[in-house]
Amino acid sequence: MDNEGRSCVYGLRHQARCLTAVIAETEQNKFLVGSQTLKRDNEIHLINFNEDEFEITSTIYQHLEEVWDIAACPAKSDLFFTCYKTFDSISSRTKAKLWRMNNSDVISEDFEKGSRPPRSTSHLPLECIFEIKEDDTIKKVLWDPKKDLTKFVSIHDSSLRIWEFDEQMTSAKTSHTVDFSSMNESLPPLTTGVWNPHQPEVAIGKECYVQGLDLRSQSQTFNINGAHSVLVHALDYNPNKPYQIASAGDDCKIRFWDLRNTTNCLKQISDHTHWVWAIAYNRFHDQLFLSSSSDCQVNLQSIVSISSGAFQYDERENDDGSEYEYHDQLGKPTDGLVRAYDQHEDSVYAVAWSACDPWVFCSLSYDGRAVINRVPKEEKYKIIL
Amino acid sequence: MTTPQQVPTSPSKSSASTSKSMKPITLTLPRKSRTKSHGIGTGGKNSDPLDIDNSAFEAEHYCNVLLTEKHLSELIQRDNDLSTEIRQLDGDMKTLVYENYNKFISATDTIRKMKSNVESMESEMDQLSKSISNISNVTSLVNDALGPKREKIRQLTGVHDLLKKIQFIFELPTRLKLCLDQESYAQAVRYYAKTSRLLEHYRSLSVFSSIESECKEIIDKVSKKIRENMTSENATGSEITDCIVLLISLKEPPQQLAKEYLDLQETFLSKLLVATIDEMPKIPADYLLKSSEDYQLTTSDERAIIELTYLNEKFLKELNKFVESFNGFFLQPPKECRDTKSPGKSPAKSPKNNDLIRYVSTTLDVEVKELVRKEFLEFIGAITSEYLTIVDGLLEFPNNILDFKPETHIKLLNKLNFAALSCASLSSVIKFDERIKEVISTWETGIGKRLFGNAEKELIEKFVEFSEKQKTKVFSSSQQRFKYVQTFVLDTETWLTTYLTKDCLRIIEECVKTEVPMFENKDDVEKFLKKIQAEFREFWYSIINSMMKYVSPINPYPINPQDPPPPITSLIMSRMLLDFGEIIVTQVYTSFSDRLYTSRDNRNRFAVDVYGGYGERHAISKELAQDVREIVGVCKDIAQRILERYVEIVGNRISMNIRGIYTMKSSITNLTDVPSRPTSVSKIWNVIITELTLIEKEVVMLYGTEEENNLDDQDSNSLPSTDQNSTANQDNSNTIRAPYAHSNSSYSSINSNRPKSSNPFFASFTHLTSHIDKLFSDRIEIFGIVEIGKPGIIMGVIKILLKAWIETVRMQTLTNKIFQQIQVDSEFVRLKLWKYIEDERILNTMLQELASSAFRRCAEDPLPLENT
């Protein structure tokens, strides 16, 4: 079946802001989505995209509070953190919990029998392992991308904490706190953070600047002042090329930086017409780059010129034979917008590549619509041939 | 009668015999008398036998006629007549004979003498021939005798000559010594050069060898002296050259000579250059007048020309001379080719040495030659570069480019060109002429760069200054500010146009129109114009780029970001670029085309019509038209982009206000003093609207509106009459609280005026309706293309503002109170914004989205306010 150019849509029936791929799951295209409503109970949807059937099945877990962020464990597919918000009449608190989906096997069994509809209607419970309450302003939890399950990092409004799990991963305690609060309280809080896959370093976004923090010494490693003219909203490290980070923000721009020299950006993309909320490098082919924005668009960019694949294409010139001809026909991958996906009708706050298939990605808009798309064949062949 | 008849016979005989050898004797006859006597018969010449004088006279017939016809008396008479006639004739005959007799006598005498003389002649002739043969015999005898002696004499003469030469050789040492003493080394060298081969040839003879050695000794001394001269501090270039010529004639090893020569000239020329540079500023102003150049100096301050002339005369000539001689001595294949080349090319050489120099040359091995050539070229290259550096210094443009007088520079360039032509050797060795051409072309590019670069610099400076002023200057009224900005725009645009069309054009025109040989060639002018054109084009791009850079610098911003220019700068820039695109570029190019192109020759230029922004037609020469179109396009494009940038900056700035106003924390602190139901608009919105009004004013200032005439009046005139608090808000934001009552009333009145929108979004809606609405509303581009013109710009800002509001609300968790506050704010905004907006649909859609977002984010049960 040729599903080229088609996309698969999944409705959540709730507003939603956060999405993550289940990183530890490399057999199936799985994503986790957390809903965000105030008036009803919230849900965590485990979306499973079956490429052969071209359909989505899902498992829904109960999650009482509205989910503001979700982070899947890179090593164990059943573990994830959520950051959630509780409120009473005078104030709201954000906290985080580590969850385990302990009955996922049941679901899959059921599904195999074919007795259940692909979409589960009942809400399965989640097992809460522990909760982080400190500060009440937790924004985001970062796992170590090296799949080392001893540490994690939490980002708060005005601080960053490094935690250590105990041996059974049943609790955690703060090992270090880095305080970013300043005298002026009205300063905007930290907006985002990302863990460098190449070294123990976390990059955080705050206001208009991006800062790097060494996790061992808690010292600053780099500082890109004025990376964006308004707020920095999203960051992502290049998974294949050390020292390269991408940032995006309220000035509608996406910029790429070499951390060894941050006086000038490597490249700038300004294809969005409103704030850019999420960006993601493809984990395998870092020349593919996703961004989503509140202009309701998801853009798939090719950034081959600054990617780790840049050399590859130069070398290919020297190759002989049919491959070369083939390549000639398709043309080399070039920089530029590969495709703009406009299936969303509301702001797209999250986007994620599948951990299993490098050509599959999912985007999530505020109206609760998750859309799974694939890289266009043409571009795919340009890259792999 | 018989005797007289006999007498004449004898002489007649003798005359017949003598007439052959003697001169002819003419016999004279008494013709007169006879004709008289026979006068009767003269008339009839015909053979009338009756005429007595006629030869056909017949006596018998005549007598018969007479006897028959005549009377007796007549006959008697006739007889008498005849007898007298006969007597007369007789007497005549006697006289005649007598007269001619002498002549006969002498003739016979002569004949007799001749007969006797001829007899001795023959013998005399014989004698003569005998004598002559005798003489010839004697002569040959003498000749034979003298032969051997003559041979001897000839030999002796040869020996004499040889002896003379030998004497010269023997005297050579003394002569050389004399020359040495008199320091006429050239003479000495010439002597030696003449004899050295001979001496070498006869070296085997002891006499000669001693002479040779003696000569060598002296010549060594001479050469030492020459060297001394050559290496002396004060030796001039030509002296060195002369010395080298002598040394070459003395057959010194050429490679070493080449090196020595090169070294010496190197020091000499370097010193000369330094000295010349030192002297240059001190040259008297009248230096040129003394020189042969016939340039007329119009002003006294054209020192550069004087200096260059001086430099060329002093230094370049020397350099060229050196190059020529060196090349001739060491590098070129000798003689033949140079013979054909060099005559007349070395006018500066002293005639004394001319012959020597022309024929002196050396032969070096190929490798050595290459080595020498390399060193030589190195030095020449270096020193030429130094020269050109000085020239560049002379060609520097004045700090203020407007003071620049192209005439001077063009004269300088012309001089350079001339110098390049006159330095043929230099040109052939290191392409001096090409380097000069390069200098000229650099100058041509440079003038464009300077002229236009200056404009660009000043323009940007103006902007920077303006921005600074905007930050610091306090305007007493908006009107004053308004005026100030407008004046700035007008002034700047006028300044630029004037600068380009007056000052720049004047200078370029002067360049083109000067009557200097360099620009006589049409191709040269064309080339120059091409360069200027390219620079001009570059200039526009560069202006545009720097404007772009100024308003949105390439990221990241400086580590400690300076204050960015105020947004109005971008607005002004965009406006100006638009003006550039619409009018100014075309205008400027038109005048360039008029002055520089069409005036030259009209026939070959096809003017191309270019239409300006307002439809007017400009005739622009073909070469420029392409540029004009391109630049106009780019200007408009960038104007658009800068405008978008402006909208972005302003939109973001205004949106900043919204951040954080609806958080619970802020709501607690800010709204505690407010009764349970919000009755007034959040303070911040008043601020925002005020800002928006200011922005509108800025935009109107520069982009105008349809009712521009009303601008000078108070803004309130253009506002809806129901809206009374707006003026109060704008003019003093301190009294915001006062008109709240109005606010609500006007809000309701507007609603009742427009029944379509009177169903407030907050009152009754569900998810479903909001979704359906969304389906039918168009997608809104927030930071999209901004339409040029006031409504477009304001709309752009408003869209950014509203979208930011929506996003902010979505990030919050709201209490009922805040929800209601948003409801109030939203209506307030609707009221305030509608007048700016052409397409209300966008406003409605966005506010609706805001309402639905707020509804969802309200943690309590949302209780919308009632309309009343």
Side-chain angles (χ1 to χ4, degrees):
Chain A
M1 205 202 311
D2 185 20
N3 292 312
E4 173 62 22
R6 280 179 60 196
S7 43
C8 213
V9 180
Y10 176 83
L12 251 66
R13 299 187 192 148
H14 295 277
Q15 270 86 47
R17 290 190 93 96
C18 52
L19 162 78
T20 180
V22 182
I23 303 161
E25 177 62 71
T26 53
E27 301 294 312
Q28 288 168 297
N29 296 308
K30 280 187 174 174
F31 297 95
L32 279 169
V33 178
S35 73
Q36 190 186 47
T37 54
L38 286 160
K39 308 197 174 65
R40 282 176 287 173
D41 285 354
N42 284 283
E43 298 160 350
I44 302 287
H45 290 237
L46 177 65
I47 300 174
N48 187 352
F49 172 64
N50 186 325
E51 234 179 317
D52 300 329
E53 303 292 320
F54 208 75
E55 63 179 9
I56 291 175
T57 54
S58 70
T59 315
I60 302 172
Y61 296 94
Q62 288 174 334
H63 188 283
L64 204 63
E65 303 88 355
E66 55 172 6
V67 186
W68 282 81
D69 192 49
I70 190 162
C73 172
K76 293 185 179 176
S77 62
D78 56 346
L79 290 180
F80 64 91
F81 270 109
T82 58
C83 299
Y84 59 92
K85 209 180 227 180
T86 59
F87 57 91
D88 54 33
S89 56
I90 43 164
S91 65
S92 63
R93 301 170 212 283
T94 43
K95 301 172 190 169
K97 265 182 188 163
L98 178 65
W99 302 92
R100 173 175 292 133
M101 303 178 279
N102 48 7
N103 46 1
S104 57
D105 46 337
V106 179
I107 299 299
S108 58
E109 261 173 43
D110 284 348
F111 176 59
E112 273 161 27
K113 283 176 205 159
S115 59
R116 301 179 70 127
R119 183 167 180 151
S120 132
T121 44
S122 66
H123 293 182
L124 300 169
L126 282 171
E127 181 197 332
C128 173
I129 299 173
F130 62 85
E131 186 181 24
I132 315 169
K133 280 197 266 191
E134 272 78 0
D135 207 4
D136 286 349
T137 59
I138 188 158
K139 269 246 153 77
K140 215 171 165 56
V141 174
L142 305 178
W143 292 90
D144 186 343
K146 285 188 171 145
K147 313 199 174 178
D148 173 14
L149 299 184
T150 57
K151 271 186 195 171
F152 66 95
V153 166
S154 64
I155 291 170
H156 304 251
D157 265 359
S158 58
S159 64
L160 180 146
R161 281 165 199 259
I162 304 164
W163 301 77
E164 270 171 24
F165 286 111
D166 65 5
E167 276 173 27
Q168 286 79 39
M169 276 185 73
T170 51
S171 66
K173 60 176 195 294
T174 310
S175 65
H176 294 98
T177 305
V178 184
D179 197 14
F180 287 97
S181 62
S182 54
M183 304 301 282
N184 188 351
E185 275 197 19
S186 67
L187 271 179
L190 302 188
T191 50
T192 186
V194 64
W195 195 313
N196 188 340
H198 305 286
Q199 60 193 64
E201 179 190 62
V202 165
I204 53 142
K206 189 183 178 189
E207 277 183 274
C208 303
Y209 58 84
V210 178
Q211 231 176 51
L213 201 73
D214 190 306
L215 292 176
R216 292 160 298 194
S217 60
Q218 289 86 46
S219 60
Q220 181 178 312
T221 51
F222 66 88
N223 186 8
I224 309 172
N225 216 335
H228 290 273
S229 59
V230 197
L231 273 183
V232 177
H233 260 303
L235 294 169
D236 198 14
Y237 278 99
N238 186 325
N240 301 331
K241 210 175 171 185
Y243 306 113
Q244 196 188 86
I245 194 169
S247 66
D250 279 4
D251 57 358
C252 319
K253 309 274 195 294
I254 301 161
R255 295 200 174 107
F256 298 88
W257 308 91
D258 187 325
L259 296 177
R260 291 160 296 189
N261 176 15
T262 59
T263 50
N264 271 307
C265 66
L266 295 171
K267 184 179 171 63
Q268 169 176 313
I269 298 174
S270 40
D271 284 335
H272 283 295
T273 61
H274 202 242
W275 306 347
V276 182
W277 286 84
I279 51 176
Y281 278 102
N282 189 307
R283 302 285 126 184
F284 305 92
H285 307 283
D286 57 308
Q287 53 191 284
L288 290 174
F289 188 86
L290 280 173
S291 60
S292 75
S293 147
S294 38
D295 64 1
C296 314
Q297 283 211 343
V298 175
N299 286 351
L300 176 62
Q301 301 276 359
S302 169
I303 50 165
V304 65
S305 67
I306 54 167
S307 74
S308 61
F311 296 110
Q312 191 187 339
Y313 296 104
D314 291 342
E315 281 165 19
R316 199 165 285 177
E317 299 276 337
N318 304 326
D319 276 10
D320 54 348
S322 55
E323 205 184 58
Y324 184 65
E325 278 171 34
Y326 217 66
H327 195 245
D328 250 11
Q329 280 176 355
L330 289 163
K332 278 184 203 175
T334 45
D335 279 17
L337 185 62
V338 176
R339 200 170 148 192
Y341 297 90
D342 56 357
Q343 295 109 328
H344 293 286
E345 275 153 21
D346 207 331
S347 306
V348 188
Y349 292 127
V351 69
W353 289 98
S354 163
C356 159
D357 185 330
W359 312 108
V360 171
F361 62 90
C362 181
S363 54
L364 177 72
S365 57
Y366 189 59
D367 54 7
R369 185 184 294 184
V371 180
I372 291 184
N373 273 304
R374 290 179 303 178
V375 176
K377 250 189 195 142
E378 234 176 65
E379 185 69 17
K380 184 166 152 181
Y381 290 147
K382 272 190 209 168
I383 293 168
I384 57 178
L385 287 178
Chain B
M1 281 271 306
T2 45
T3 37
Q5 273 173 334
Q6 273 181 320
V7 172
T9 52
S10 71
S12 70
K13 256 199 247 166
S14 77
S15 72
S17 64
T18 53
S19 62
K20 288 171 202 166
S21 56
M22 302 287 288
K23 61 178 180 180
I25 298 161
T26 38
L27 297 176
T28 54
L29 288 170
R31 286 257 171 208
K32 266 181 205 169
S33 57
R34 207 180 44 174
T35 48
K36 228 176 220 173
S37 61
H38 297 283
I40 314 148
T42 48
K45 274 209 170 173
N46 299 337
S47 52
D48 184 4
L50 296 180
D51 185 2
I52 204 163
D53 288 333
N54 203 314
S55 53
F57 178 71
E58 289 175 33
E60 285 259 336
H61 182 62
Y62 181 71
C63 277
N64 288 336
V65 167
L66 279 180
L67 283 176
T68 55
E69 285 178 4
K70 304 288 181 193
H71 297 290
L72 183 62
S73 57
E74 278 177 338
L75 283 175
I76 296 171
Q77 182 65 39
R78 185 66 196 157
D79 182 59
N80 287 342
D81 287 348
L82 280 175
S83 31
T84 20
E85 267 180 42
I86 291 168
R87 244 178 276 132
Q88 201 176 340
L89 279 174
D90 219 20
D92 281 352
M93 208 167 64
K94 278 178 189 162
T95 338
L96 229 127
V97 169
Y98 180 76
E99 266 178 15
N100 287 314
Y101 188 72
N102 272 343
K103 288 177 186 171
F104 283 119
I105 298 295
S106 67
T108 40
D109 282 352
T110 313
I111 290 166
R112 209 179 293 130
K113 233 188 239 170
M114 274 167 69
K115 225 186 237 167
S116 64
N117 280 350
V118 166
E119 276 166 18
S120 67
M121 202 159 73
E122 220 153 88
S123 63
E124 273 174 25
M125 285 304 279
D126 280 349
Q127 209 174 339
L128 181 66
S129 72
K130 230 181 267 171
S131 303
I132 283 172
S133 69
N134 206 12
I135 286 168
S136 75
N137 279 345
V138 173
T139 325
S140 71
L141 266 179
V142 168
N143 205 21
D144 288 351
L146 288 178
K149 281 191 185 158
R150 208 181 287 137
E151 193 60 30
K152 225 177 205 172
I153 287 169
R154 204 175 289 137
Q155 261 180 6
L156 283 175
T157 324
V159 170
H160 176 74
D161 282 354
L162 204 61
L163 282 174
K164 238 187 190 171
K165 275 186 196 166
I166 290 176
Q167 193 191 1
F168 175 77
I169 290 176
F170 280 119
E171 275 177 13
L172 188 62
T174 15
R175 273 174 196 261
L176 289 180
K177 221 171 252 167
L178 196 67
C179 288
L180 183 63
D181 290 343
Q182 286 174 347
E183 297 187 345
S184 56
Y185 304 118
Q187 188 67 27
V189 169
R190 215 170 308 158
Y191 286 147
Y192 183 69
K194 261 191 214 163
T195 53
S196 60
R197 268 224 327 252
L198 193 81
L199 286 172
E200 208 166 308
H201 194 257
Y202 293 105
R203 191 182 285 162
S204 50
L205 300 176
S206 61
V207 189
F208 287 115
S209 79
S210 75
I211 288 175
E212 193 201 358
S213 62
E214 204 173 334
C215 285
K216 265 231 166 90
E217 232 169 74
I218 297 167
I219 283 298
D220 279 348
K221 267 186 213 159
V222 168
S223 73
K224 216 174 270 171
K225 277 276 180 195
I226 292 174
R227 277 239 160 74
E228 247 169 55
N229 277 358
M230 190 166 76
T231 50
S232 90
E233 290 267 307
N234 307 320
T236 64
S238 49
E239 277 168 16
I240 295 175
T241 307
D242 291 348
C243 292
I244 284 291
V245 169
L246 297 179
L247 288 179
I248 291 174
S249 326
L250 291 178
K251 307 251 183 293
E252 299 253 339
Q255 190 187 349
Q256 197 195 328
L257 274 184
K259 212 179 145 29
E260 252 174 85
Y261 188 35
L262 189 60
D263 286 348
L264 280 173
Q265 284 283 15
E266 199 172 325
T267 40
F268 166 69
L269 285 172
S270 309
K271 244 192 249 166
L272 181 67
L273 185 60
V274 171
T276 313
I277 294 169
D278 280 350
E279 282 166 34
M280 259 162 49
K282 288 175 246 158
I283 317 162
D286 56 349
Y287 172 76
L288 261 196
L289 301 179
K290 280 187 264 167
S291 78
S292 59
E293 307 293 331
D294 55 354
Y295 279 117
Q296 291 178 348
L297 291 181
T298 47
T299 52
S300 58
D301 61 349
E302 296 181 357
R303 281 208 66 85
I305 294 179
I306 298 172
E307 287 180 4
L308 184 71
T309 317
Y310 186 74
L311 183 68
N312 281 353
E313 296 248 313
K314 280 257 159 171
F315 171 72
L316 198 61
K317 248 187 202 165
E318 285 290 338
L319 182 64
N320 189 43
K321 244 194 269 173
F322 162 64
V323 170
E324 192 187 355
S325 2
F326 190 90
N327 211 19
F329 296 160
F330 301 108
L331 297 180
Q332 277 184 357
K335 278 152 202 157
E336 305 87 55
C337 41
R338 224 150 36 83
D339 274 349
T340 55
K341 250 187 91 181
S342 51
K345 287 210 171 173
S346 49
K349 296 229 157 81
S350 57
K352 182 181 79 182
N353 283 334
N354 222 2
D355 52 338
L356 265 180
I357 282 181
R358 208 175 299 163
Y359 294 104
V360 160
S361 73
T362 57
T363 39
L364 291 170
D365 293 343
V366 180
E367 279 171 40
V368 177
K369 199 184 244 182
E370 279 315 305
L371 204 74
V372 168
R373 186 192 297 278
K374 211 180 119 210
E375 270 178 42
F376 171 64
L377 287 184
E378 236 167 59
F379 162 66
I380 293 296
I383 201 141
T384 311
S385 300
E386 263 178 69
Y387 169 77
L388 289 179
T389 316
I390 299 169
V391 170
D392 281 345
L394 289 176
L395 279 175
E396 247 172 36
F397 298 107
N399 277 338
N400 184 355
I401 192 76
L402 292 184
D403 296 341
F404 174 58
K405 292 199 187 70
E407 208 192 343
T408 317
H409 277 200
I410 285 178
K411 274 184 188 161
L412 279 177
L413 291 176
N414 195 47
K415 246 181 200 307
L416 275 181
N417 220 358
F418 182 72
L421 286 180
S422 63
C423 295
S425 324
L426 209 50
S427 301
S428 72
V429 171
I430 52 155
K431 304 210 184 328
F432 184 65
D433 47 348
E434 276 174 32
R435 291 180 75 166
I436 290 291
K437 278 210 182 89
E438 211 174 282
V439 168
I440 292 174
S441 99
T442 315
W443 177 83
E444 286 173 350
T445 316
I447 186 171
K449 271 218 165 74
R450 275 298 301 267
L451 278 175
F452 302 135
N454 195 42
E456 185 195 335
K457 211 179 82 201
E458 276 194 45
L459 189 67
I460 297 300
E461 266 168 20
K462 271 177 201 278
F463 273 115
V464 173
E465 192 190 339
F466 175 78
S467 303
E468 292 304 314
K469 270 213 181 121
Q470 279 291 310
K471 275 178 212 153
T472 53
K473 199 166 177 176
V474 181
F475 293 96
S476 57
S477 74
S478 61
Q479 215 163 324
Q480 194 189 344
R481 180 159 179 268
F482 169 68
K483 267 223 177 87
Y484 175 72
V485 171
Q486 262 194 342
T487 332
F488 172 75
V489 172
L490 282 180
D491 283 358
T492 312
E493 284 181 359
T494 324
W495 167 80
L496 189 72
T497 320
T498 323
Y499 179 83
L500 290 177
T501 55
K502 295 270 157 56
D503 299 329
C504 291
L505 197 53
R506 170 179 59 82
I507 288 172
I508 294 168
E509 209 175 6
E510 274 175 42
C511 290
V512 174
K513 300 231 162 116
T514 41
E515 282 155 5
V516 170
M518 191 182 86
F519 274 131
E520 260 172 14
N521 193 343
K522 235 185 95 199
D523 287 352
D524 284 346
V525 177
E526 219 126 281
K527 248 195 276 164
F528 174 70
L529 282 180
K530 271 229 172 76
K531 281 211 176 101
I532 291 289
Q533 188 189 345
E535 281 306 315
F536 199 43
R537 194 162 153 271
E538 193 71 9
F539 157 72
W540 287 108
Y541 274 106
S542 153
I543 272 200
I544 291 164
N545 278 340
S546 18
M547 281 194 177
M548 193 71 195
K549 226 183 251 171
Y550 184 60
V551 287
S552 58
I554 302 300
N555 290 291
Y557 300 116
I559 297 299
N560 293 315
Q562 298 157 336
D563 289 345
I568 190 163
T569 316
S570 338
L571 197 62
I572 289 173
M573 278 188 179
S574 123
R575 171 74 231 186
M576 265 160 105
L577 279 177
L578 202 63
D579 286 347
F580 285 176
E582 299 276 0
I583 326 166
I584 293 176
V585 172
T586 325
Q587 254 179 17
V588 169
Y589 264 108
T590 308
S591 48
F592 267 60
S593 147
D594 283 352
R595 302 263 290 272
L596 296 179
Y597 287 85
T598 43
S599 64
R600 294 189 57 79
D601 55 336
N602 284 318
R603 251 164 278 157
N604 296 338
R605 312 264 167 213
F606 294 103
V608 177
D609 292 336
V610 172
Y611 291 92
Y614 300 125
E616 70 273 39
R617 229 181 61 178
H618 297 274
I620 288 176
S621 77
K622 197 170 56 182
E623 287 93 330
L624 294 174
Q626 176 72 22
D627 281 7
V628 174
R629 291 206 191 96
E630 190 183 323
I631 290 164
V632 164
V634 172
C635 276
K636 286 182 179 166
D637 189 38
I638 300 292
Q640 173 78 37
R641 271 163 65 192
I642 291 187
L643 189 65
E644 278 162 20
R645 171 80 187 151
Y646 168 76
V647 168
E648 187 191 324
I649 293 173
V650 171
N652 281 336
R653 196 187 62 187
I654 220 173
S655 313
M656 282 295 220
N657 294 315
I658 309 174
R659 279 181 206 284
I661 54 167
Y662 298 118
T663 58
M664 282 197 172
K665 222 200 264 170
S666 69
S667 67
I668 290 157
T669 51
N670 289 348
L671 301 176
T672 38
D673 52 338
V674 179
S676 61
R677 281 163 57 102
T679 52
S680 67
V681 161
S682 311
K683 277 183 212 163
I684 197 73
W685 278 104
N686 279 312
V687 177
I688 289 170
I689 294 297
T690 315
E691 260 182 56
L692 203 58
T693 317
L694 280 176
I695 290 166
E696 193 221 358
K697 271 190 188 163
E698 275 182 7
V699 174
V700 167
M701 230 169 356
L702 291 158
Y703 274 89
T705 53
E706 298 77 57
E707 64 255 67
E708 217 165 330
N709 305 341
N710 298 342
L711 268 176
D712 294 337
D713 307 339
Q714 262 307 317
D715 291 20
S716 55
N717 292 355
S718 59
L719 296 175
S721 52
T722 51
D723 199 3
Q724 286 171 2
N725 62 336
S726 63
T727 37
N729 282 347
Q730 285 155 14
D731 289 343
N732 55 7
S733 44
N734 294 335
T735 57
I736 289 166
R737 283 186 167 265
Y740 274 164
H742 296 283
S743 165
N744 267 340
S745 67
S746 60
Y747 153 48
S748 54
S749 71
I750 292 266
N751 269 347
S752 55
N753 286 345
R754 290 182 296 161
K756 239 165 94 188
S757 57
S758 69
N759 180 20
F761 309 103
F762 283 89
S764 59
F765 75 91
T766 60
H767 278 260
L768 192 66
T769 53
S770 96
H771 279 295
I772 290 170
D773 282 347
K774 222 187 248 174
L775 277 178
F776 290 105
S777 63
D778 297 328
R779 178 170 294 193
I780 297 163
E781 288 220 328
I782 308 302
F783 288 101
I785 293 160
V786 176
E787 277 174 47
I788 291 184
K790 184 208 141 196
I793 297 169
I794 297 291
M795 191 65 214
V797 176
I798 289 173
K799 277 196 292 192
I800 293 171
L801 174 69
L802 293 182
K803 184 71 182 178
W805 195 5
I806 294 168
E807 292 297 335
T808 316
V809 166
R810 281 184 182 178
M811 295 288 284
Q812 308 301 334
T813 309
L814 309 172
T815 61
N816 207 344
K817 205 196 282 174
I818 306 174
F819 174 71
Q820 286 170 350
Q821 182 65 50
I822 291 173
Q823 188 184 358
V824 172
D825 293 348
S826 150
E827 282 310 312
F828 175 75
V829 168
R830 179 196 303 283
L831 188 71
K832 290 291 182 192
L833 293 187
W834 76 266
K835 66 171 174 161
Y836 298 121
I837 284 174
E838 284 184 331
D839 184 3
E840 259 179 70
R841 274 204 342 256
I842 295 175
L843 180 66
N844 287 339
T845 315
M846 293 187 83
L847 286 178
Q848 194 175 348
E849 180 59 43
L850 171 75
S852 84
S853 292
F855 184 84
R856 284 186 206 136
R857 292 306 305 158
C858 183
E860 298 164 328
D861 278 343
L863 295 170
L865 289 167
E866 291 304 310
N867 277 332
T868 52

